[in-house]
């Protein structure tokens, strides 16, 4: 009888161990490729609530590992940009800096500004907008992102204009190194090069852009709705829904001197001038500091990308 009981107990333990192995086998494990990360070289299993980094259900949360988190714990997140999360830029446009402070940067319509500029990459934005007769400034939205990487290589993503909005129509347009790029519609459809990877986060209008070793960018296209226009008095015309981008950035290995409308908030000693008590809608300026001549132009008054190469060329010419 005792032997039978021991056998039964062993069977239960083996069954439990088998089930545990099956659960682990059904999970993805994530790791960080950056040597500076406290998670470098570790394989961290995904939590049971979101066991996969690319689930088949587009509405399911995905497994994510923050390579800057010293605890090296995976967590669940949605694929689309979190407009209240750090590193986001949404609405007209409303930024959340690295310090968690909300601020607005309106720029100017039909102009380009450096959002982030570091020694090895730069991300610009094209602003669209309008100025009703009663307004002293433009209403603006981010219509496109231009990414410049060492090489140099360029990648752009933009929201295409449309008089009306249709959720089933794709409003995304891409280019790579100056040439138009077609990325097949459909959830998890993927395109990649040596330096950029793009994955559809839904059938249309949402993608995740990975800049290898540099950043991960969640991009979503949305319109300015008639209700938004009524509430904020945008006075949106009937022939343009002002399709624009909602974006959220996660960066890796930024330098301490990183610049840009959003990038400067990642400087270790940055003090946000927008963080003032009693200011309901803090607005920061700097149009002249961050303006670039095009979506993929690297030069602005404070831009870092290419600055070392430019200085080296000036020195060589002087010699």
């Amino acid at each position: 009888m005792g032997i039978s009981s021991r056998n039964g107990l062993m069977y239960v333990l083996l069954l439990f161990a088998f089930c545990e192995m099956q659960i682990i086998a059904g999970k993805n494990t994530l790791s960080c490729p950056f040597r500076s990360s406290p998670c470098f070289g570790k394989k961290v299993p995904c939590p049971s609530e979101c066991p996969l980094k690319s689930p088949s259900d587009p509405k399911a949360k995905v497994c994510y590992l923050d390579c800057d988190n010293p605890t090296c714990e995976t967590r669940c997140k949605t694929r689309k940009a979190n407009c209240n999360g750090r590193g986001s830029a949404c609405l007209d446009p409303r930024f959340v800096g690295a310090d968690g402070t909300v601020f607005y940067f309106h720029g100017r319509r039909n102009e380009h500004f450096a959002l982030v500029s570091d020694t090895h990459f730069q991300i610009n934005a094209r602003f669209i907008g309008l100025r009703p007769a009663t307004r002293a400034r433009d209403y603006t939205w981010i219509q496109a992102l231009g990414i410049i990487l060492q090489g140099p290589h360029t990648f752009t993503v933009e929201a295409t204009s449309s008089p009306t909005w249709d959720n089933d129509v794709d409003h995304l347009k891409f280019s790579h190194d100056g040439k138009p790029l077609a990325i097949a519609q459909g959830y998890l459809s993927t395109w990649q090069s040596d330096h950029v990877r793009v994955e559809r986060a839904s059938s249309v209008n949402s993608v995740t852009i990975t800049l290898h070793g540099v950043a991960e960018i969640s991009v979503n296209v949305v319109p300015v709705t008639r209700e938004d226009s009524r509430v904020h008095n945008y006075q949106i015309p009937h022939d343009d829904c002002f399709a624009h981008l909602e974006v959220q950035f996660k960066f890796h290995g930024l330098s301490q001197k990183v610049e840009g409308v959003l990038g400067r908030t990642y400087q270790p000693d940055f003090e946000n001038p927008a963080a003032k008590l009693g200011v309901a809608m803090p607005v920061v300026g700097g149009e002249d500091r961050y303006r670039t001549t095009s979506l993929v132009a690297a030069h602005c008054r404070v831009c870092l990308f290419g600055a070392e190469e430019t200085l080296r060329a000036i020195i060589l010419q002087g010699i």
Side-chain angles (χ1 to χ4, degrees):
M1 190 71 177
I3 296 176
S4 178
S5 298
R6 286 198 297 272
N7 288 342
L9 179 60
M10 290 181 62
Y11 175 78
V12 171
L13 291 174
L14 287 171
L15 181 62
F16 178 78
F18 176 76
C19 291
E20 284 291 301
M21 290 175 64
Q22 289 296 102
I23 292 172
I24 294 172
K27 296 180 180 180
N28 285 156
T29 58
L30 303 183
S31 59
C32 293
F34 317 112
R35 291 188 176 275
S36 58
S37 168
C39 312
F40 178 73
K42 296 181 180 180
K43 294 184 177 181
V44 188
C46 294
S48 300
E49 297 79 10
C50 53
L52 304 175
K53 61 181 179 181
S54 297
S56 58
D57 180 1
K59 295 181 180 180
K61 290 188 176 182
V62 300
C63 178
Y64 176 75
L65 176 61
D66 184 351
C67 292
D68 296 326
N69 191 331
T71 63
C72 297
E73 294 177 345
T74 51
R75 59 182 177 85
C76 302
K77 73 166 190 173
T78 58
R79 281 184 167 274
K80 294 186 178 181
N82 175 9
C83 290
N84 294 313
R86 298 171 191 264
S88 62
C90 304
L91 303 173
D92 57 342
R94 172 185 181 273
F95 291 84
V96 182
D99 56 355
T101 300
V102 174
F103 66 95
Y104 290 78
F105 175 84
H106 297 299
R108 294 180 184 274
R109 58 180 168 167
N110 303 324
E111 291 191 357
H112 307 87
F113 300 92
L115 298 187
V116 184
S117 182
D118 210 343
T119 56
H120 55 302
F121 79 102
Q122 183 161 313
I123 300 175
N124 298 335
R126 178 191 296 132
F127 285 46
I128 56 170
L130 74 168
R131 183 182 298 188
T134 57
R135 296 290 298 176
R137 63 166 180 82
D138 295 339
Y139 286 120
T140 55
W141 296 271
I142 294 175
Q143 181 266 335
L145 296 179
I147 299 165
I148 315 164
L149 300 169
Q150 288 179 328
H153 294 286
T154 61
F155 183 88
T156 67
V157 54
E158 57 186 288
T160 57
S161 61
S162 176
T164 58
W165 181 261
D166 186 340
N167 284 324
D168 296 326
V169 175
D170 193 38
H171 296 82
L172 283 170
K173 181 180 178 182
F174 308 92
S175 79
H176 177 245
D177 286 347
K179 299 178 181 178
L181 173 65
I183 300 179
Q185 296 181 22
Y187 174 61
L188 298 184
S189 176
T190 303
W191 172 91
Q192 65 181 6
S193 68
D194 291 340
H195 43 279
V196 181
R197 185 178 189 272
V198 184
E199 182 178 80
R200 294 268 187 183
S202 61
S203 295
V204 293
N205 295 322
S206 295
V207 294
T208 300
I209 301 171
T210 302
L211 311 179
H212 299 310
V214 173
E216 183 176 282
I217 312 169
S218 299
V219 179
N220 192 43
V221 186
V222 294
V224 177
T225 66
R226 299 300 170 190
E227 179 63 14
D228 287 340
S229 183
R230 183 191 67 80
V231 171
H232 298 285
N233 194 30
Y234 290 141
Q235 301 182 36
I236 296 295
H238 291 287
D239 61 349
D240 193 343
C241 68
F242 278 83
H244 60 281
L245 303 181
E246 294 177 336
V247 298
Q248 185 178 19
F249 302 93
K250 173 61 183 175
F251 300 106
H252 309 294
L254 292 174
S255 75
Q256 294 187 351
K257 295 182 178 180
V258 59
E259 264 292 354
V261 175
L262 177 64
R264 63 178 180 162
T265 69
Y266 289 82
Q267 295 173 4
D269 57 349
F270 176 74
E271 294 183 7
N272 201 322
K276 296 180 181 179
L277 294 176
V279 179
M281 186 176 170
V283 179
V284 300
E287 286 89 347
D288 292 339
R289 290 165 53 86
Y290 305 120
R291 182 181 287 108
T292 66
T293 55
S294 76
L295 191 60
V296 291
H299 301 293
C300 74
R301 281 180 54 187
V302 296
C303 287
L304 297 184
F305 183 83
E308 294 180 359
E309 288 76 4
T310 301
L311 179 61
R312 189 179 298 112
I314 291 174
I315 293 174
L316 288 174
Q317 289 174 4
I319 294 175

